[in-house]
Amino acid sequence: MPHRLDRLVYRSTATRPTDVLVSLAELLGESQRNNARSGLTGALAVHKGNFLQVIEGDPGQLDILERRLASDPRHRDIRVLDRRPVEARVFDGWTMASATISPGLAPELDALMSEERPSSQRIVGLMLEAVDRT
């Protein structure tokens, strides 16, 4: 029987400045270590004081991650945009990729984030574009 795989897409508001590279590097490093241990893959973007993250993996591990995120003081107002079973990972090989939102991607991301129910499929696509450009 194949192993089930879920994808979680969420956004949250950062509680600390997001333009400090050392803080972001620490966050990415911690995420990479935790995700490697939990078998999770994904990407993280920081944009206009918000985090946007796509995480893929075992549903039970994603449940644990969601509980951990809820008590993480580095962000608030966590909003799950989508969580669903998927056939394959799109961020395979990245325990946590840093997705840099370029000036070319920013307007589309801004438009998506202003929607009540943004397309998680388009968010994943933008995150892939952002990772490929770094």
Side-chain angles (χ1 to χ4, degrees), residues 1 8 16 19 23 29 32 42 54 58-59 62 82-83 90-92 106 109 111 124 129 132-133:
M1 183 167 148
L8 168 68
R16 301 174 186 162
D19 56 353
S23 297
Q32 289 167 343
V54 178
D58 174 81
L62 288 177
D82 191 35
R83 181 167 172 180
V90 295
F91 294 99
D92 198 21
L109 181 58
V124 170
E129 285 183 54
D132 285 343
R133 293 176 185 208

Side-chain angles (χ1 to χ4, degrees), residues 50-93:
N50 294 294
F51 294 115
L52 181 62
Q53 195 163 16
V54 178
I55 305 285
E56 306 160 328
D58 174 81
Q61 290 298 322
L62 288 177
D63 291 341
I64 292 167
L65 174 65
E66 283 191 78
R67 287 192 295 276
R68 195 167 63 235
L69 291 171
S71 63
D72 189 328
R74 293 175 288 202
H75 60 159
R76 61 181 167 77
D77 304 327
I78 298 169
R79 182 171 168 215
V80 173
L81 303 174
D82 191 35
R83 181 167 172 180
R84 70 178 65 197
V86 293
E87 294 293 319
R89 298 174 190 258
V90 295
F91 294 99
D92 198 21

Side-chain angles (χ1 to χ4, degrees), residues 8-134:
L8 168 68
V9 179
Y10 79 88
R11 69 186 249 188
S12 63
T13 303
T15 58
R16 301 174 186 162
T18 58
D19 56 353
V20 179
L21 292 178
V22 172
S23 297
L24 186 55
E26 288 174 358
L27 176 62
L28 285 167
E30 182 182 331
S31 296
Q32 289 167 343
R33 286 187 300 279
N34 290 340
N35 290 351
R37 196 171 38 248
S38 302
L40 301 175
T41 57
L44 170 71
V46 178
H47 182 63
K48 295 185 176 179
N50 294 294
F51 294 115
L52 181 62
Q53 195 163 16
V54 178
I55 305 285
E56 306 160 328
D58 174 81
Q61 290 298 322
L62 288 177
D63 291 341
I64 292 167
L65 174 65
E66 283 191 78
R67 287 192 295 276
R68 195 167 63 235
L69 291 171
S71 63
D72 189 328
R74 293 175 288 202
H75 60 159
R76 61 181 167 77
D77 304 327
I78 298 169
R79 182 171 168 215
V80 173
L81 303 174
D82 191 35
R83 181 167 172 180
R84 70 178 65 197
V86 293
E87 294 293 319
R89 298 174 190 258
V90 295
F91 294 99
D92 198 21
W94 285 304
T95 53
M96 184 49 60
S98 176
T100 303
I101 305 302
S102 68
L105 295 177
E108 186 173 358
L109 181 58
D110 290 339
L112 272 169
M113 292 299 98
S114 70
E115 295 175 9
E116 180 64 30
R117 302 207 57 172
S119 164
S120 63
Q121 187 173 14
R122 189 61 199 130
I123 291 169
V124 170
L126 280 174
M127 295 287 275
L128 276 171
E129 285 183 54
V131 167
D132 285 343
R133 293 176 185 208
T134 59

